[in-house]
Amino acid sequence: MSKESDLAAVAEDIAKLKSQFDLADKSVPGEGNPDSELMIIGEAPGHLENKTGRPFVGRAGKLFEKLLMEIGIDRKDVFITSIVKFYPGQRAPSQKEIDLCLPYTLKQIDIIKPKVVLLLGSIAIKALLGKNKSITKEHGKLVRNELGNLFPTFHPAAALRFEKYLPVIRSDLKKLDSMLQLIRSL
């Protein structure tokens, strides 16, 4: 089987969970290049993602695309998903929702085998690095574990709410770009 068909099978399995999410219109399994060296994992779909079934298409997603372009990365060249694959409403996902969806995110990482996984926000960080991890302490640092190379930063939605996070995210993404260049040269 190919990565595309494996990811499509995971997306079909994700769609079967829809009944567990009262406010979900569509599943948002993720999209992008299955051969990407960079996989991006956010927290959960927002309202617009819920309507379209596509990740990172709202205001935070548009800002994030702009930030990626600043370091020369085009959205079409990466794979983007979230820990939770359904819209939880205007609240953070519950632990039950995270636990329900996390195995599918892990399958996606295993299929894609990216060189680096960029974690956006505290939910992604806690889900993949451990519940005791803090975004304020972990951002901008490469962490290696059984999943590979993980690089946490603030979610772009934080920069929409609090402008002070925008330069922090930019700085973290510049570090990420340097790491990707180093990895490519090895």
Side-chain angles (χ1 to χ4, degrees):
M1 290 182 74
S2 69
K3 286 184 178 184
E4 291 88 354
S5 61
D6 289 347
L7 288 169
V10 171
E12 286 176 23
D13 290 342
I14 291 167
K16 295 173 187 171
L17 301 175
K18 184 176 176 290
S19 64
Q20 303 287 321
F21 294 83
D22 297 336
L23 300 174
D25 291 333
K26 295 183 178 186
S27 63
V28 186
E31 67 181 25
N33 180 355
D35 294 314
S36 177
E37 64 187 9
L38 177 63
M39 183 173 180
I40 299 166
I41 302 176
E43 298 183 346
H47 178 74
L48 193 55
E49 291 81 1
N50 182 44
K51 296 297 179 196
T52 64
R54 297 186 61 221
F56 285 89
V57 294
R59 286 181 54 227
K62 297 297 179 204
L63 172 60
F64 190 63
E65 279 185 45
K66 179 182 171 211
L67 293 170
L68 283 176
M69 289 302 290
E70 288 176 8
I71 61 167
I73 296 176
D74 192 311
R75 177 188 174 110
K76 69 177 172 38
D77 296 328
V78 299
F79 190 89
I80 303 175
T81 190
S82 296
I83 294 293
V84 174
K85 311 298 189 183
F86 295 88
Y87 179 56
Q90 295 297 323
R91 61 171 174 77
S94 69
Q95 190 60 52
K96 178 183 172 193
E97 291 166 335
I98 293 167
D99 293 343
L100 189 64
C101 294
L102 184 58
Y104 300 98
T105 304
L106 296 174
K107 284 181 188 176
Q108 290 171 320
I109 294 170
D110 187 54
I111 292 166
I112 294 168
K113 296 184 182 3
K115 292 180 178 172
V116 178
V117 177
L118 177 61
L119 304 176
L120 301 177
S122 62
I123 291 170
I125 289 164
K126 288 178 185 299
L128 296 176
L129 294 181
K131 292 181 177 138
N132 63 335
K133 299 297 182 181
S134 162
I135 179 75
T136 55
K137 292 180 182 171
E138 302 300 326
H139 80 89
K141 301 174 189 170
L142 184 68
V143 178
R144 290 188 178 110
N145 68 16
E146 66 279 357
L147 298 174
N149 296 313
L150 307 176
F151 187 86
T153 193
F154 290 90
H155 195 285
L160 291 175
R161 287 192 289 276
F162 305 103
E163 198 171 298
K164 69 179 182 178
Y165 290 116
L166 188 56
V168 176
I169 296 169
R170 274 195 171 107
S171 174
D172 287 351
L173 290 178
K174 285 180 184 173
K175 289 178 191 174
L176 172 69
D177 183 44
S178 296
M179 281 184 233
L180 285 170
Q181 288 181 34
L182 178 64
I183 288 169
R184 285 181 199 122
S185 70
L186 297 176

